[in-house]
Amino acid sequence: MKNTVITLLIFFSAFHISAKEGMWIPLLLEKYNFSEMQQMGFKLSPQDIYDANHSSMKDAVVIFGRGCTGELISNEGLLITNHHCGFGQIQSHSSVEHDYLTNGFWAMDKSEELANKGLTVSFLEYMEDVTEKIMEGTDALEGEAKANKIKGNTDKVNSDASENGKYKTAVKPLFYGNQYFLYVYKVYKDIRLVGAPPSAIGKFGGDTDNWMWPRHTGDFSIFRIYADKNNEPAEYSEDNVPFQPKKFFPVSMKGVQEGDFTMVFGNPGSTTQYWPHQAVDITMNQRNPDRIALRDKKLEIIGADMDADPKVRIQYAAKYAGISNSWKKWQGESKGLKRLNAVNTKLEFEKEFKNWAEQNGSWESTYKPVFENFESQYANYAKYIKASDYYSEVVFRGVEVFRNARLINTIINNIENKQNEKVESLRSAALGGLSAFFKDYQQSTDEKLFAALLPMLVDGLSPEFLPEELVEMVNKSDGEKLLDKVFRKSILTDEMKLRKVLESGSEKQLLKLRKDPVVALFNQLNFKYEADISSVVAKVSDEITEGMKVYMAGLMEMKKGQSFYPDANLTLRVAYGKVEAYEPKDGVEYKYYTTLSGIMEKDNPAIYDYDVPERLKELYTAKDFGRYEVNGDVPVCFSASNHTTGGNSGSPVVNGNGELIGVNFDRCWEGTMSDIMFDPERCRNISLDIRYALFLIDKFAGAGYLLDEMEIVY
């Protein structure tokens, strides 16, 4: 009985306001959260956080790129985010001759800032509850007819809000479709790199320290947003001028103390707090182990080649970091879920839900069919998502040359369908991407991935999910023979040959590429995936979502009067908590902060990720800390109890006065299961202390002119 009570308490934490848990919609803070925030130390108003008609904090926060957050820190468009969020841009500008990854980069005036093709930042103009508009005319409809009506309504809402393309819009379902919100963004496209510390600072500790506390990582980079002369979005131009924001964050030199109020304001990507037990079981016992094993092999191969060749290290730095990040997170997530006895915790709560539904007479008619369907749906889902995970890790995110095969395959399909305009557009796009692909491509590394991953695909999946030709080929050939038969006979690894065909090849010549062995193999794999795997995953996922919509409505009714936060979906949210230490396991107790002294203790010139730059050692030895000194040291990072996830990388961490005290960049490994189940004792977010960023900009990089743009508060 005692264990049952404990597990229920853990699960119930998802259904009440907690100082530590929740990713809240800023538009609704006054209704649900503001009183508690005040009690914890927040001194401003809800309108200071979000106001659609006047400047507020939301105007200083952006979606950076495709999935991070950034924040404005000057009235000249200066933006700070994480080093790992800007890593791809830093890497793209790097070469053996100009190794900005190793040495860092700092523009000493605006003329030295580096443009970044394709990088955007998105400002939220406003959000709006559009549930009634989306559901209009759907009461009498079911199934496909209802889905089509919802889609039509959604398209209209998006179209109206976009104002003929002036804004980017998104209607997103909350609570599995029980509510819909519209998000309207203004997107800026001229974003320039201003500064980034060396990776030995910005990525200090590398994958060893990733997701871990204590951290000593200076995980930040600086960019600047440019606009046209009217302060509106524009493509890159030398005539563009620094963007003038409606709002930017004052930067605090006051520091943090344990128990201080903290708020993280960003764009968390995805959480699944309300999953039933079957989904947790599949993730913990199937999906995570499968994906970890496949990434083990990828990291082993790429890591060895990076260690052996400085050129490969630069080429594959961003790729390796991307593979490693989720790989390590999944390990911590599974460990945390097991510690919380997550599957049984969910089962116990589902029993409570059943009792509630039986008491009000809704179980048999409304909820029992949903739970019965979950049993069969998740059994089917487990089978097909396993195949999907393998294809994702091997075919679509593993063997690199398959990316070129996908491009060629798409061009050929459009030739066969007589889509001439599309063919020319695709040719142009493919040609435009070739240089970038081959700049960061090493054929020998990809050969090793090909030889190792294809046998893992065949061994890991049932034959029904595999092309017969592949199974036969892998079973009859070792890795070297496989390479000779397929990989080394392809032109897709030869930039010059591929460029020539794409530039001047006739349609007939392009169609002949169907016979290229890599293109042919990819086509077989892709056809099998689309015909027999992805379509089933999508269908079953839709069925599960329909059931979750009913279940979620029941949960909201069961807990009526209590506040709910919707799962994260890469939209603006507020998380609040306090500066807080923690105990990761029995007998271990951590402080809430780290310092420059800790960096020096970890210094190891023999290890790339721990090789502290000489300039930083000089500053430390001389105790040349300037105004950033605290008790004879420099603060580096701090931990707090804000509920964060992917997408919160780069988010501003502010104090009760709305002043920037840190930049969020990670979570503690023991708490990475917080996407699925939150544990207030172990879940901590990790932030860069903004004073360390200022110290590095000023004393280390000598770019103190950037601080002159900021409003620094003492």
Side-chain angles (χ1 to χ4, degrees):
M1 181 62 184
K2 182 179 178 182
N3 287 337
T4 299
V5 171
I6 291 171
T7 55
L8 284 174
L9 284 172
I10 292 168
F11 188 77
F12 273 125
S13 69
F15 296 96
H16 64 74
I17 297 175
S18 164
K20 304 170 186 177
E21 181 176 2
M23 300 174 183
W24 303 93
I25 298 173
L27 182 63
L28 304 177
L29 287 177
E30 188 167 12
K31 181 178 180 181
Y32 292 125
N33 311 93
F34 187 59
S35 175
E36 184 179 48
M37 292 172 71
Q38 282 183 311
Q39 292 171 19
M40 293 175 61
F42 187 64
K43 297 179 175 63
L44 303 179
S45 71
Q47 289 72 34
D48 288 317
I49 297 173
Y50 176 90
D51 192 322
N53 301 313
H54 303 93
S55 65
S56 60
M57 288 186 203
K58 69 107 171 148
D59 299 308
V61 180
V62 300
I63 297 177
F64 181 87
R66 296 182 179 179
C68 280
T69 299
E71 57 268 18
L72 276 294
I73 53 173
S74 89
N75 62 359
E76 296 185 57
L78 204 64
L79 176 152
I80 190 167
T81 187
N82 287 153
H83 184 272
H84 74 259
C85 292
F87 197 78
Q89 283 71 41
I90 302 163
Q91 186 262 343
S92 71
H93 291 297
S94 296
S95 63
V96 174
E97 295 76 25
H98 300 286
D99 188 354
Y100 299 138
L101 288 176
T102 298
N103 302 319
F105 168 80
W106 297 96
M108 288 304 156
D109 58 47
K110 293 184 179 70
S111 69
E112 295 182 355
E113 296 171 359
L114 302 177
N116 299 280
K117 185 178 180 181
L119 177 62
T120 63
V121 301
S122 302
F123 287 88
L124 179 69
E125 292 286 296
Y126 66 91
M127 62 177 68
E128 179 186 347
D129 187 336
V130 291
T131 307
E132 289 187 8
K133 293 179 181 178
I134 300 301
M135 299 308 294
E136 185 179 357
T138 64
D139 289 347
L141 302 177
E142 294 181 359
E144 187 175 349
K146 186 172 185 176
N148 288 337
K149 181 63 176 174
I150 290 173
K151 183 181 182 304
N153 290 344
T154 300
D155 290 344
K156 185 177 188 309
V157 169
N158 277 320
S159 177
D160 291 346
S162 74
E163 296 186 17
N164 296 316
K166 180 180 178 181
Y167 299 109
K168 178 183 175 183
T169 65
V171 172
K172 296 201 175 186
L174 305 178
F175 302 116
Y176 292 90
N178 282 288
Q179 193 173 20
Y180 290 86
F181 262 66
L182 166 70
Y183 300 87
V184 178
Y185 299 94
K186 184 176 282 191
V187 181
Y188 285 79
K189 302 177 181 179
D190 186 353
I191 318 299
R192 305 182 195 178
L193 176 63
V194 176
S199 290
I201 291 174
K203 201 173 178 291
F204 184 78
D207 295 303
T208 303
D209 282 7
N210 190 23
W211 299 107
M212 305 298 284
W213 183 259
R215 286 297 288 276
H216 298 85
T217 310
D219 195 349
F220 78 99
S221 54
I222 305 288
F223 290 79
R224 193 185 303 278
I225 306 169
Y226 281 77
D228 67 16
K229 291 177 181 178
N230 297 314
N231 211 38
E232 292 295 320
E235 298 290 342
Y236 171 82
S237 169
E238 292 184 1
D239 295 329
N240 287 345
V241 295
F243 170 70
Q244 295 182 337
K246 298 177 188 176
K247 175 79 174 177
F248 63 90
F249 286 102
V251 178
S252 175
M253 282 285 288
K254 300 172 188 175
V256 298
Q257 299 295 324
E258 190 159 21
D260 283 355
F261 173 86
T262 57
M263 185 180 84
V264 175
F265 200 16
N267 299 280
S270 179
T271 58
T272 49
Q273 300 290 326
Y274 306 105
W275 265 355
H277 74 276
Q278 296 96 332
V280 178
D281 187 16
I282 292 167
T283 296
M284 186 169 66
N285 296 312
Q286 175 184 299
R287 298 196 68 191
N288 285 356
D290 283 351
R291 293 178 293 184
I292 289 165
L294 289 162
R295 292 198 176 195
D296 278 341
K297 181 55 67 175
K298 287 191 275 190
L299 291 170
E300 174 192 324
I301 290 168
I302 296 172
D305 282 7
M306 288 173 68
D307 289 342
D309 188 337
K311 181 183 177 184
V312 178
R313 177 179 54 75
I314 293 171
Q315 288 176 314
Y316 281 79
K319 299 172 190 176
Y320 187 94
I323 296 167
S324 175
N325 192 52
S326 294
W327 165 81
K328 190 167 184 178
K329 184 253 187 181
W330 291 328
Q331 294 175 62
E333 180 179 82
S334 290
K335 185 176 180 180
L337 290 171
K338 288 175 182 175
R339 182 177 57 79
L340 291 176
N341 196 18
V343 174
N344 286 330
T345 299
K346 291 284 188 179
L347 278 166
E348 290 296 334
F349 181 78
E350 287 161 22
K351 289 178 184 177
E352 290 294 310
F353 179 83
K354 180 183 177 183
N355 291 337
W356 167 82
E358 285 178 336
Q359 288 172 12
N360 66 29
S362 60
W363 173 254
E364 289 291 335
S365 60
T366 305
Y367 302 112
K368 183 180 179 182
V370 169
F371 280 84
E372 287 178 343
N373 286 337
F374 280 165
E375 284 297 319
S376 58
Q377 288 165 348
Y378 274 108
N380 203 24
Y381 177 79
K383 176 181 176 182
Y384 285 89
I385 200 63
K386 182 181 185 71
S388 180
D389 285 340
Y390 266 81
Y391 270 75
S392 176
E393 293 297 332
V394 174
V395 181
F396 304 122
R397 296 178 182 175
V399 178
E400 291 187 278
V401 76
F402 281 152
R403 297 179 202 172
N404 288 339
R406 171 173 264 179
L407 285 170
I408 295 299
N409 184 52
T410 304
I411 291 171
I412 290 171
N413 287 340
N414 279 278
I415 291 173
E416 292 174 341
N417 293 326
K418 309 296 183 185
Q419 301 290 324
N420 295 333
E421 287 186 13
K422 231 175 181 181
V423 169
E424 292 311 308
S425 174
L426 288 165
R427 271 207 210 208
S428 177
L431 282 165
L434 279 188
S435 294
F437 176 85
F438 281 102
K439 175 181 178 291
D440 295 329
Y441 180 74
Q442 189 67 235
Q443 181 173 335
S444 59
T445 301
D446 203 22
E447 286 186 358
K448 294 170 188 171
L449 291 169
F450 185 91
L453 293 177
L454 284 178
M456 291 182 75
L457 181 72
V458 171
D459 291 342
L461 295 182
S462 167
E464 67 184 288
F465 296 121
L466 298 163
E468 291 181 11
E469 296 91 333
L470 174 66
V471 175
E472 184 177 348
M473 184 167 52
V474 168
N475 288 337
K476 288 184 177 180
S477 306
D478 60 21
E480 196 65 25
K481 287 181 180 177
L482 201 59
L483 289 169
D484 287 337
K485 282 184 177 181
V486 181
F487 199 102
R488 292 169 183 154
K489 290 183 178 179
S490 174
I491 74 161
L492 300 192
T493 59
D494 189 317
E495 182 178 2
M496 297 307 295
K497 287 182 180 179
L498 188 54
R499 185 177 294 280
K500 184 177 179 181
V501 173
L502 287 169
E503 280 180 340
S504 56
S506 65
E507 289 190 353
K508 187 175 181 181
Q509 287 173 309
L510 284 166
L511 288 170
K512 281 184 179 178
L513 289 178
R514 279 276 194 223
K515 295 181 180 178
D516 181 280
V518 169
V519 174
L521 176 57
F522 175 80
N523 284 343
Q524 293 169 15
L525 288 162
N526 193 54
F527 180 81
K528 176 63 73 171
Y529 175 75
E530 291 184 352
D532 297 342
I533 300 169
S534 65
S535 57
V536 179
V537 170
K539 181 175 181 295
V540 177
S541 295
D542 287 344
E543 291 171 355
I544 289 170
T545 298
E546 283 300 308
M548 283 299 300
K549 181 177 180 179
V550 177
Y551 177 36
M552 194 74 231
L555 289 176
M556 296 169 82
E557 179 66 25
M558 178 182 175
K559 298 297 175 183
K560 198 169 184 177
Q562 299 183 25
S563 298
F564 278 81
Y565 62 93
D567 276 323
N569 58 1
L570 199 63
T571 59
L572 199 60
R573 301 290 180 88
V574 168
Y576 56 95
K578 59 184 178 180
V579 176
E580 192 170 0
Y582 81 116
E583 299 177 13
K585 54 188 175 182
D586 184 49
V588 177
E589 195 172 334
Y590 287 138
K591 294 179 179 178
Y592 68 89
Y593 66 93
T594 58
T595 64
L596 187 57
S597 293
I599 293 175
M600 299 306 153
E601 290 170 3
K602 288 182 176 180
D603 179 32
N604 187 342
I607 302 175
Y608 179 78
D609 290 324
Y610 291 98
D611 185 7
V612 177
E614 286 301 318
R615 174 61 180 156
L616 193 57
K617 291 188 212 178
E618 290 169 6
L619 290 168
Y620 179 77
T621 301
K623 303 299 178 186
D624 186 6
F625 302 151
R627 54 180 163 165
Y628 313 102
E629 179 178 348
V630 179
N631 298 324
D633 219 324
V634 178
V636 174
C637 298
F638 63 90
S639 62
S641 55
N642 302 280
H643 192 176
T644 61
T645 187
N648 276 126
S649 290
S651 293
V653 185
V654 301
N655 60 19
N657 297 316
E659 299 156 353
L660 189 69
I661 55 174
V663 182
N664 182 78
F665 71 90
D666 207 353
R667 284 176 283 166
C668 296
W669 195 57
E670 295 83 2
T672 51
M673 72 289 171
S674 62
D675 289 348
I676 299 169
M677 187 173 286
F678 192 88
D679 176 7
E681 298 303 316
R682 300 285 175 89
C683 292
R684 298 288 184 273
N685 68 302
I686 303 173
S687 301
L688 168 74
D689 192 308
I690 198 63
R691 294 171 293 178
Y692 185 48
L694 297 179
F695 167 75
L696 290 169
I697 294 168
D698 186 3
K699 304 293 289 185
F700 176 84
Y705 79 95
L706 293 172
L707 275 63
D708 296 337
E709 294 184 32
M710 305 175 197
E711 180 186 330
I712 298 179
V713 182
Y714 291 88

